[in-house]
Amino acid sequence: QHKFWETQPVGQFKDFGNSSLPEGPIEQPTPLSEVKQEPYNLPSLYEWTTCDMGSDEVCHEVYVLLTNNYVEDDDNMFRFNYSKEFLQWALRSPGYFSSWHVGVRVKASKKLVAFISGIPVNMRVRDQVVKMAEVNFLCVHKKLRSKRLAPVMIKEVTRRIHLENIWQAAYTAGVLLPTPLTTSQYWHRTLNPKKLIDVGFSKLGDRMTMSRAIKLYKLPTSTSTPGLRKMELRDVPAVAELLKNYLSRFIVAPELNNEEIEHWLLPRENVIDSYLVESQVTHEITEFFSFYTLPSSILHNQEHSTLKAAYNFYYASTNTPLHQLMNDALIIAKQKDFDVFNALDVMDNATFLKDLKFGQGDGQLYYYLYNYRLNPALKPSELGLVLL
Ligand code: NHW
Ligand code: EN5
């Protein structure tokens, strides 16, 4: 059934729900000298390459591969279109290893035809902090699918991660594999109903006309929370503290130091937006929220070629109701011309999704850990992790 995943240190379907298996690492680390020193073998026409994402040329090659071959929805109407600036942000995070940015080229032409990446993260699981990799952007060119290239790429990135003495990983996928830490749902808040309907992202329901839809999704033109402003460099320590306290409520969540907060949350145009609330009286930072920019290519439409989507990222609230903050996030995203605001039902998101007129999407996102057993599986609301 899963010829590759059956061989890997992940929870297996046959053990699902067996709570007598101990929590923690599934297999123990080996001495580094026993980690395979040479890359895995590729079919003879292909070769490994380490992608230097600091090079505009290499970054462009990764961008083109993903633009044409990365994740699509179930009906192949939309394909993620991560920007180059986004990929550099996502992959060159504090402590990153270039060796974890793994490509495959055709030997003869040097064309980049596959990619997989990891970045390091300190992940807290209950009260243990484990150094892990976050694995993302696994992609095999459409013409090379179903040739069992993906397992070789996963083994190769695993080997390179092991060489840095890291033995666990976190990853997400839209497909069901052995076995999810949690299963989450995508939700979508319409900002531009006309365009979403025109491109087939959403449909007018039975008793819904275009003008009723436009009215339903209308938002105020300005935000409602006093003291709301963009995050700045000087806010890093306060935001770090605020997020640390907020994420402590979840069973699995990253631990982000000041350097990581600066990297992941300081606003970058067309990549990441972060806003916070500073008390007019005490100048304390009491709330913040962020969203990232991830457009999708629209695959078969004459009128429109990209869907501008904002994705809910990390946030923390102490004094202001979460639905009020998120309503302000929607207002800002609308002002910035996003067509849709997306969120998962992780963290406390389920408390505002329905009230703020998000609708359930047709996509699921499964979360996984590699070489770490946790049982039973979590509810999405017990998870404090958002991957890009
Ligand atoms: S999820 C997005 C993945 N990318 C896409 O969906 C892009 C479009 N699709 C493709 O490019 C975010 C290909 O279809 C891919 C598979 C490359 C997906 N995760 O080569 P074969 C991530 O990037 C298994 C894991 O013939 P293919 C997270 C599949 O179950 N495994 O297929 C990445 C089967 O194994 P099985 C996946 O279609 C996390 C085998 O691959 C998978 O030509 C990676 C078939 O291989 C997926 N998304 O290429 C794991 N999709 O056992 C990281 C398929 O069932 C683990 N498969 O026979 C941690 C590593 C680090 C550890 C450190 C200690
Ligand atoms: C790794 N970081 O399926 C990520 N998206 O719902 C990799 N659906 O956009 C894994 N099919 O429901 C990613 N519109 C897995 C997700 C892959 C992409 C994906 C889904 C998520 C999506 C849209 C479009 C569907 C088009 C037909 C969708 C309905 C919105 C509607 C708005 C109004 C109220 C009801 C819902």
Side-chain angles (χ1 to χ4, degrees):
Q1 199 57 309
H2 288 288
K3 276 287 169 258
F4 169 65
W5 282 109
E6 278 169 13
T7 68
Q8 298 301 112
V10 295
Q12 299 295 329
F13 285 122
K14 66 173 169 51
D15 300 327
F16 197 78
N18 180 349
S19 49
S20 68
L21 293 167
E23 272 197 22
I26 296 170
E27 54 181 44
Q28 292 310 308
T30 61
L32 288 187
S33 58
E34 285 170 32
V35 177
K36 188 168 142 51
Q37 296 296 308
E38 335 69 49
Y40 283 89
N41 288 329
L42 280 171
S44 62
L45 295 178
Y46 306 99
E47 63 187 22
W48 295 112
T49 179
T50 292
C51 294
D52 173 6
M53 295 301 291
S55 147
D56 286 340
E57 206 176 332
V58 173
C59 182
H60 181 73
E61 290 180 277
V62 175
Y63 168 78
V64 170
L65 174 72
L66 296 179
T67 296
N68 296 320
N69 302 278
Y70 200 50
V71 177
E72 299 179 6
D73 69 295
D74 284 346
D75 302 297
N76 311 103
M77 295 171 67
F78 306 97
R79 189 188 304 127
F80 285 151
N81 187 203
Y82 291 89
S83 69
K84 287 187 254 193
E85 296 70 28
F86 191 111
L87 293 171
Q88 290 187 326
W89 172 66
L91 295 177
R92 303 181 83 216
S93 57
Y96 80 92
F97 302 97
S98 270
S99 60
W100 296 6
H101 303 160
V102 185
V104 173
R105 294 186 188 279
V106 176
K107 272 184 191 162
S109 64
K110 305 294 175 207
K111 182 184 157 93
L112 185 74
V113 291
F115 186 74
I116 189 168
S117 67
I119 53 168
V121 61
N122 287 309
M123 196 71 78
R124 183 179 52 74
V125 183
R126 300 195 199 279
D127 58 2
Q128 308 256 84
V129 180
V130 185
K131 190 88 181 166
M132 294 195 188
E134 283 178 3
V135 176
N136 205 348
F137 305 113
L138 166 60
C139 183
V140 168
H141 193 286
K142 286 184 182 232
K143 294 203 165 139
L144 299 180
R145 297 278 169 89
S146 308
K147 298 176 185 299
R148 311 299 299 180
L149 209 51
V152 189
M153 304 205 50
I154 294 167
K155 285 192 279 186
E156 180 60 15
V157 80
T158 300
R159 189 185 71 81
R160 293 175 183 212
I161 293 166
H162 285 165
L163 286 172
E164 303 298 340
N165 204 18
I166 293 174
W167 304 86
Q168 271 74 33
Y171 52 103
T172 57
V175 294
L176 179 62
L177 302 166
T179 54
L181 165 69
T182 194
T183 301
S184 64
Q185 264 292 322
Y186 278 98
W187 290 71
H188 308 281
R189 176 42 161 99
T190 299
L191 301 176
N192 184 349
K194 170 130 188 1
K195 178 166 166 187
L196 294 191
I197 290 159
D198 285 350
V199 303
F201 187 92
S202 56
K203 290 187 183 71
L204 282 174
D206 268 355
R207 266 161 240 302
M208 185 63 75
T209 60
M210 188 66 85
S211 56
R212 286 178 76 174
I214 290 168
K215 190 168 164 210
L216 177 65
Y217 293 116
K218 207 165 175 56
L219 285 161
T221 47
S222 55
T223 57
S224 69
T225 310
L228 187 73
R229 62 166 173 85
K230 264 195 170 81
M231 181 183 172
E232 298 172 20
L233 186 57
R234 63 185 165 103
D235 301 314
V236 164
V239 170
E241 192 59 26
L242 187 62
L243 186 59
K244 180 184 138 133
N245 288 331
Y246 184 72
L247 290 181
S248 71
R249 317 199 285 105
F250 302 103
I251 296 176
V252 174
E255 296 231 312
L256 303 171
N257 62 29
N258 286 5
E259 191 192 0
E260 291 169 313
I261 292 288
E262 176 179 338
H263 178 85
W264 291 120
L265 296 174
L266 252 208
R268 296 184 188 221
E269 209 178 337
N270 299 321
V271 174
I272 174 79
D273 281 282
S274 299
Y275 288 80
L276 49 72
V277 180
E278 175 175 345
S279 155
Q280 317 294 68
V281 186
T282 65
H283 296 284
E284 260 186 306
I285 310 294
T286 58
E287 348 278 327
F288 99 96
F289 62 77
S290 59
F291 54 85
Y292 61 83
T293 298
L294 167 50
S296 282
S297 305
I298 304 171
L299 299 179
H300 317 284
N301 195 275
Q302 308 297 336
E303 234 87 307
H304 300 283
S305 60
T306 46
L307 187 72
K308 233 191 135 188
Y311 285 75
N312 186 38
F313 196 40
Y314 292 103
Y315 59 80
S317 77
T318 58
N319 298 337
T320 312
L322 194 51
H323 65 87
Q324 180 186 326
L325 281 177
M326 290 302 150
N327 198 241
D328 284 346
L330 296 174
I331 292 165
I332 292 167
K334 174 72 192 171
Q335 284 168 352
K336 291 181 178 267
D337 201 38
F338 286 96
D339 299 313
V340 61
F341 190 101
N342 298 335
L344 294 160
D345 56 1
V346 298
M347 300 190 284
D348 287 321
N349 297 359
T351 64
F352 64 77
L353 291 170
K354 287 187 178 136
D355 287 348
L356 296 183
K357 300 176 187 165
F358 285 73
Q360 219 180 101
D362 65 354
Q364 307 228 306
L365 189 66
Y366 300 94
Y367 279 80
Y368 303 95
L369 292 179
Y370 183 94
N371 195 25
Y372 203 98
R373 185 164 27 235
L374 209 136
N375 48 54
L378 304 184
K379 292 176 232 156
S381 60
E382 294 174 318
L383 190 68
L385 177 64
V386 186
L387 299 188
L388 303 171

